[in-house]
Amino acid sequence: MDPKRLVAEKAVSYIENGMIVGLGTGSTANEAIREIGKRVAGGLRIKAVASSLKSEDLAKTSGIPIVPLSGITQIDIYIDGADEVNHDHYLIKGGGASLLREKILAYNSKKFLVIVDESKLVDQLGRFPLPVEVTPFAANLTLKHLIALGCSAGIRQKDQQHYVTDNGNLIADCSFGKITEPSILHNKIKSIPGVVETGIFDNSMVTSIIVGYSNGTIKELTKNS
Ligand code: 5RP
């Protein structure tokens, strides 16, 4: 079976009646959303909040009851993919441009289960260009300050236009090569006016990483395992 499906099924098996569930964004998170939809059809009673408009649409077509974030105070479990995961369980996220809402869900969740296939495991973050959400106002100036931190960077494009996030912002994709100290880099980037959020997710938000391998096995990694 597809490793993405395997890890999605494993993560969804932790969902119980009455939970508020955070829904991620991306192809792996979509597997989880479809699986949750099947369990809801089978009688599971939950409410969900989505990290993107795309995931909200998929959830609704899968029969999952969606509530606005303004209507809840905490999320019980958040299930989402990642673009990179290092040994210390720091993540790069935002390949799907949803990093701001994703980070808000991760930060407000009792448990954050990261679901990935083995291709996402890296020794050091940075091969995947780091997505940084920036305000459209003065985006070029913000980009100049990002580049001054030692990366090559550009504003993400779609159909020859700037890609606009669900929050009306832009994404600067920043290639740093190797990110040896993710927290320090995150703080430096966040101190630039015009930066809304970075795609570096601190390991303090992560409960476990569920990894799927092409041989059909999965492993659940916690920081001490
Ligand atoms: C979206 C994300 C996704 O979790 C990340 O891009 C992984 O996606 P996929 O499961 O399709 O590889 O951060 O903003």
Side-chain angles (χ1 to χ4, degrees):
M1 201 197 283
D2 178 6
K4 292 184 183 186
R5 179 101 67 85
L6 284 174
V7 292
E9 283 179 3
K10 176 70 182 169
V12 170
S13 72
Y14 290 111
I15 299 177
E16 293 170 5
N17 275 329
M19 283 186 166
I20 306 279
V21 179
L23 305 174
T25 297
S27 56
T28 320
N30 284 349
E31 294 290 349
I33 294 171
R34 291 190 198 98
E35 180 64 18
I36 294 168
K38 283 188 211 156
R39 287 199 51 203
V40 167
L44 178 71
R45 286 175 289 102
I46 55 148
K47 288 178 184 156
V49 288
S51 58
S52 66
L53 299 176
K54 268 188 243 157
S55 294
E56 185 169 327
D57 286 346
L58 178 61
K60 283 178 178 163
T61 56
S62 306
I64 301 170
I66 291 287
V67 290
L69 255 182
S70 56
I72 58 158
T73 51
Q74 199 174 36
I75 296 157
D76 292 298
I77 188 167
Y78 174 44
I79 299 171
D80 199 358
D83 298 300
E84 283 187 344
V85 178
N86 78 2
H87 292 311
D88 294 329
H89 296 183
Y90 280 85
L91 316 176
I92 285 185
K93 287 185 53 54
S98 304
L99 63 101
L100 174 59
R101 295 188 187 199
E102 291 173 339
K103 197 175 276 189
I104 292 169
L105 294 201
Y107 192 76
N108 287 287
S109 295
K110 285 188 209 160
K111 287 188 176 170
F112 175 22
L113 308 184
V114 180
I115 50 175
V116 291
D117 63 53
E118 59 191 311
S119 70
K120 305 292 182 62
L121 301 178
V122 295
D123 289 332
Q124 276 182 323
L125 299 180
R127 192 179 56 200
F128 190 91
L130 175 67
V132 176
E133 185 151 347
V134 301
T135 57
F137 181 76
N140 284 347
L141 294 176
T142 308
L143 200 59
K144 186 184 81 176
H145 290 291
L146 287 167
I147 290 167
L149 291 177
C151 66
S152 59
I155 300 293
R156 192 177 297 182
Q157 305 287 308
K158 189 180 178 193
D159 302 329
Q160 292 169 328
Q161 310 253 350
H162 287 342
Y163 183 95
V164 179
T165 71
D166 289 349
N167 318 299
N169 295 316
L170 306 179
I171 297 288
D173 288 306
C174 304
S175 299
F176 280 95
K178 277 188 183 167
I179 299 174
T180 47
E181 296 186 287
S183 292
I184 293 175
L185 181 63
H186 165 80
N187 289 336
K188 282 185 185 165
I189 295 175
K190 278 280 276 194
S191 70
I192 301 171
V195 166
V196 180
E197 192 49 83
T198 87
I200 294 174
F201 280 51
D202 194 275
N203 62 4
S204 60
M205 287 186 259
V206 174
T207 307
S208 67
I209 314 278
I210 305 177
V211 189
Y213 296 86
S214 48
N215 65 5
T217 60
I218 56 174
K219 262 191 209 160
E220 185 163 357
L221 310 173
T222 53
K223 259 163 270 163
N224 301 322
S225 63

